[in-house]
């Protein structure tokens, strides 16, 4: 599954907090692999949040950072994501080298990578988050768990 999301998107947050954990058994048994893509559509704070997740990822803590950030942000509106929150979450998830984290988080290279990935998604016609590709199927929005389970099962059967 390829997921396009924005950290400031309330529906992306709901997916990450409620649906994604329930898909973990399919990840654990090898049925599902998730690739995350940035689609930073809500401005500079969206780019900053994505840059922070990438910086944490350079130290092996991408998913932990992502989970902590989504849990911290409200599931409504498009909440601000400022430097103090980013640094607090990086500390919370145990980023071992905070100086390297901050350098990666603030680097133009990291921000450009986020913007390039966002542009790639837009060229593919994706203009809202969350958006998913599961096998050959495109899914727009944070659908119910059962929808994901059904499509994953259908795509697995087609691949067999």
């Amino acid at each position: 599954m390829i997921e396009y999301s924005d950290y400031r998107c309330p529906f992306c947050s709901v997916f990450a907090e409620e649906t994604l954990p329930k898909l973990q058994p399919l990840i654990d048994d090898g049925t599902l692999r998730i690739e995350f893509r940035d689609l930073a559509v809500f401005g500079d704070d969206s780019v900053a949040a994505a840059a922070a997740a990438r910086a944490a990822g350079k130290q092996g803590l991408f998913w932990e950072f992502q989970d902590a950030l989504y849990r911290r942000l409200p599931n409504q509106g498009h909440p601000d994501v400022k430097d103090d929150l980013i640094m607090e979450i990086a500390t919370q998830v145990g980023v071992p080298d905070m100086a390297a984290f901050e350098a990666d988080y603030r680097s133009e290279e990291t921000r450009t990578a986020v913007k390039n990935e966002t542009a790639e998604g837009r060229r593919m016609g994706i203009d809202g988050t969350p958006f998913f590709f599961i096998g050959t199927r495109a899914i727009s929005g944070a659908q119910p768990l059962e929808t994901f389970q059904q499509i994953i099962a259908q795509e697995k059967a087609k691949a067999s």
Side-chain angles (χ1 to χ4, degrees), residues 70 85 101 112 138:
Y70 274 133
L85 176 62
F101 170 85
T112 298

Side-chain angles (χ1 to χ4, degrees), residues 100-146:
F101 170 85
E102 188 166 359
D104 289 333
Y105 162 61
R106 295 189 187 285
S107 83
E108 192 55 40
E109 180 181 333
T110 304
R111 309 264 169 147
T112 298
V114 171
K115 292 173 187 174
N116 287 344
E117 198 161 85
T118 297
E120 175 186 294
R122 289 198 181 273
R123 283 191 300 274
M124 292 171 38
I126 303 169
D127 59 2
T129 56
F131 193 92
F132 307 88
F133 290 103
I134 301 175
T136 61
R137 302 273 302 271
I139 303 159
S140 182
Q143 302 297 320
L145 172 66
E146 296 75 21

Side-chain angles (χ1 to χ4, degrees), residues 14-160:
V14 168
F15 172 80
E17 291 177 43
E18 296 177 12
T19 306
L20 184 57
K22 294 175 183 163
L23 293 174
Q24 189 63 47
L26 296 173
I27 296 167
D28 292 344
D29 74 10
T31 299
L32 181 66
R33 183 174 62 88
I34 298 177
E35 293 182 18
F36 184 87
R37 302 279 191 274
D38 291 306
L39 195 70
V41 295
F42 297 113
D44 291 341
D45 280 10
S46 294
V47 173
R54 286 171 181 248
K58 285 188 173 186
Q59 297 188 43
L61 293 167
F62 173 83
W63 293 107
E64 293 84 353
F65 186 93
Q66 181 184 81
D67 181 62
L69 181 58
Y70 274 133
R71 290 187 185 286
R72 185 66 176 280
L73 296 173
N75 291 345
Q76 56 195 358
H78 306 292
D80 293 341
V81 180
K82 301 301 180 195
D83 289 348
D84 58 340
L85 176 62
I86 294 295
M87 296 307 164
E88 182 182 325
I89 291 176
T91 301
Q92 174 190 332
V93 301
V95 169
D97 186 341
M98 286 298 290
F101 170 85
E102 188 166 359
D104 289 333
Y105 162 61
R106 295 189 187 285
S107 83
E108 192 55 40
E109 180 181 333
T110 304
R111 309 264 169 147
T112 298
V114 171
K115 292 173 187 174
N116 287 344
E117 198 161 85
T118 297
E120 175 186 294
R122 289 198 181 273
R123 283 191 300 274
M124 292 171 38
I126 303 169
D127 59 2
T129 56
F131 193 92
F132 307 88
F133 290 103
I134 301 175
T136 61
R137 302 273 302 271
I139 303 159
S140 182
Q143 302 297 320
L145 172 66
E146 296 75 21
T147 300
F148 285 97
Q149 291 171 324
Q150 180 181 28
I151 293 170
I152 291 165
Q154 290 167 353
E155 290 297 305
K156 180 181 178 184
K158 284 176 20 183
S160 298

